[in-house]
Amino acid sequence: MAQHSDRIWQSAEVVQRFLRGTRGALPLATYQIEILLRLVKANNPTLNTFLDLGCGDGILGRYLLAKYPTAEGVFLDFSEPMLTAARQALAEKSNIHFVSQDYGEPGWTESLKQWQPFDVIVSGFSIHHQPDARKREIYQELYDLLRPGGIFLNLEHVSSPTAWLTHLSEELMIDGLYAYEQEQHSALSREAIAANFYNRSDQSANILASVEEQNQWLRDIGFAQVDCYVKVFEFALFGGVRPA
């Protein structure tokens, strides 16, 4: 059985801290989602089925449902606190399914047999918790889950090529967290936020790979239209299409 460092995301405290603050500080988050939706529309004028992989509270799937309200969505995560948040956010929807499953483990796709193939697979800040060898395997599994012509889009935390760029990315994130706290009328100083950021408990769960390397893995598998569509330092939207 695979060993994971991402079990921290099964902690209700860590999940709530991310949902309350960290995600709101991600740079250009709204713009990245707008581009994701533009790519989906360009590739799938109609969308019947989608998978939100490592769905968290279902934010990417919720945006898809807002654009395609009749689509059938599957929300998969191994974190019960995250799935609880997704169920609460999607309580009024009937055309959706929740799957409690660890996609880091072999055979996880068996849990999706009744809904595949998918027109669209999205993932947000999740796959980077897997070792690189497992990332490549997951990309192959996602290719196999897509219908011919379907699209995979990964909004992800990727590695920087140098320590200087890593530092700039971290500073941008800290500035975002500080601005978010200011909007919430928090008394936390930037110094305190930076200290919390550098000492956060989920750091060890990050196993980052470059976007260039991951795009090459996608090409090697057979994906077409592979590109990094948006990138701000270590925050990237990339993916590709399974050829029809």
Side-chain angles (χ1 to χ4, degrees):
M1 183 173 291
Q3 297 296 313
H4 298 289
S5 61
D6 57 352
R7 299 295 178 189
I8 189 70
W9 288 102
Q10 294 178 323
S11 161
E13 179 184 355
V14 171
V15 165
Q16 287 305 311
R17 183 170 66 245
F18 173 80
L19 295 179
R20 285 197 308 265
T22 306
R23 190 174 64 194
L26 293 171
L28 295 185
T30 301
Y31 180 71
Q32 289 170 331
I33 292 174
E34 287 176 358
I35 297 301
L36 182 149
L37 293 173
R38 179 178 290 268
L39 287 159
V40 168
K41 181 179 179 182
N43 191 67
N44 297 281
T46 60
L47 192 163
N48 296 313
T49 60
F50 70 84
L51 169 64
D52 188 343
L53 183 73
C55 65
D57 69 342
I59 187 168
L60 296 183
R62 282 188 274 143
Y63 273 98
L64 289 174
L65 286 170
K67 290 288 185 181
Y68 305 93
T70 62
E72 185 174 24
V74 178
F75 294 79
L76 184 147
D77 208 295
F78 83 135
S79 168
E80 285 302 324
M82 283 294 195
L83 284 174
T84 296
R87 290 188 183 100
Q88 292 171 349
L90 291 157
E92 297 181 1
K93 296 290 183 181
S94 59
N95 51 325
I96 57 174
H97 313 278
F98 298 98
V99 178
S100 179
Q101 182 70 46
D102 183 357
Y103 67 79
E105 298 291 345
W108 70 278
T109 59
E110 291 296 310
S111 64
L112 302 174
K113 271 191 171 181
Q114 60 186 304
W115 302 295
Q116 67 184 81
F118 296 98
D119 298 316
V120 175
I121 298 176
V122 294
S123 187
F125 299 104
S126 182
I127 297 174
H128 72 277
H129 298 312
Q130 301 295 327
D132 286 357
R134 182 65 189 131
K135 288 187 184 77
R136 292 194 293 270
E137 293 172 351
I138 290 166
Y139 292 150
Q140 178 66 68
E141 291 160 353
L142 298 181
Y143 182 91
D144 295 338
L145 285 172
L146 283 170
R147 68 163 178 81
I151 190 169
F152 164 58
L153 296 168
N154 192 14
L155 183 55
E156 187 60 294
H157 188 182
V158 300
S159 65
S160 291
T162 68
W164 182 68
L165 288 169
T166 296
H167 175 70
L168 288 176
S169 182
E170 291 170 343
E171 288 292 296
L172 178 64
M173 189 65 197
I174 291 167
D175 284 341
L177 288 166
Y178 180 59
Y180 179 83
E181 291 294 334
Q182 292 286 86
E183 290 173 1
Q184 306 306 309
H185 306 291
S186 169
L188 281 174
S189 66
R190 189 186 184 283
E191 290 74 18
I193 290 169
N196 291 338
F197 176 80
Y198 285 117
N199 293 289
R200 66 194 188 280
S201 58
D202 60 283
Q203 281 195 87
S204 63
N206 294 338
I207 308 173
L208 306 184
S210 73
V211 70
E212 293 89 351
E213 185 175 25
Q214 293 182 79
N215 275 344
Q216 189 57 54
W217 298 341
L218 296 180
R219 294 186 186 99
D220 292 343
I221 288 166
F223 281 96
Q225 309 298 343
V226 174
D227 201 0
C228 178
Y229 311 110
V230 184
K231 187 173 186 294
V232 185
F233 292 120
E234 294 186 354
F235 306 96
L237 173 64
F238 63 95
V241 175
R242 177 174 176 170

